Amino acid sequence: MCYNENMRRVICPVCGKQLLTCDKSAYCENRHSYDRAREGYFYLLPPNAKKSASPGDNKDMVEARKRFLATGSYLPLASRLCELIDTRFKDGIALLDAGMGTGYYLSHIADSRGHKDDMIGVDISKDAVKVAARAVPDAFLAVASVYSLPVADGSADAVISVFSPFADREFARVLSEGGALFAAVPAEEHLIELRRALYDDVRPVQSELRSDILRETAREELSFKFELESSEDISALLSMTPYVYRAPCDRVSKVKNSDHMTFTANFLIYTFTK
Ligand SMILES: C[S@@+](CC[C@H](N)C(=O)[O-])C[C@H]1O[C@@H](n2cnc3c(N)ncnc32)[C@H](O)[C@@H]1O
Ligand SMILES: [Zn+2]
């Protein structure tokens, strides 16, 4: 019995054959099998792809991201991604979120497009996938690496990559003809107020994307301000950034104890095609 339509697109991470599934497990014709976790996701990360015992964002970072995103502060980015997808794809599509974190963007896109798309989400962090499993219960979700996606060649019409590793070779492999990759990265002024509060020497963020494999067809900047009005929300924002580990402790504490701050969000959103 097939678990959902997406299973046609999901491949065995060991041999690359299509995965078939019963309720509680998935298996390929070479008898590699994978249990479905209680929360509904599959663990499709081969042991040799793990560089640490628990790769990707840890539980604290995942909880911080969940709390921060629940403030709605990045809603304009989620909405813009939806518009870009809607403009290009009127009918239901196969959509992959590569490095989906807590599933915030996937869930927003699912709701705003009326759940008409077949969705796959992957992240290398088990803690993130567990949270995403609650946020997007009708998607096929897996613990997997964006550098070795358990997704068949040419089977994703849209791939989204939001602040996650840019595995352009894999994205090109899984994109269908006519498919598109929408990738968002922080731009120069992103969270400038936070960085000024933490460091004396603040440099512009450099995270422009380039690909020799995919063709960049559009690039746009999205900027807006947002306010956080509790020390818990400000701490959550800080805790989902790498600054929390790198900045001087006294400056980190001061930010964490602030109960009102205004921030600049500044993103670049790219569209790439094959
Ligand atoms: C900055 S977070 C962004 C998460 C989500 N897209 C969002 O914006 O809320 C980056 C995510 O990439 C994941 N990640 C890091 N390396 C990865 C890899 N090789 N394969 C899949 N996911 C990875 C992390 O676990 C984390 O959830
Ligand atoms: Zn196999």
Side-chain angles (χ1 to χ4, degrees), residues 56-57 65 99-101 105 123-125 144-147 162-165:
D57 280 10
R65 184 172 299 282
M100 71 186 154
Y105 297 96
D123 199 283
I124 205 165
S125 156
S145 172
V146 299
Y147 294 105
V162 183
F163 319 131
S164 293

Side-chain angles (χ1 to χ4, degrees), residues 174-188:
V174 302
L175 272 177
S176 61
E177 289 308 321
L181 162 68
F182 304 99
V185 292
E188 287 197 352

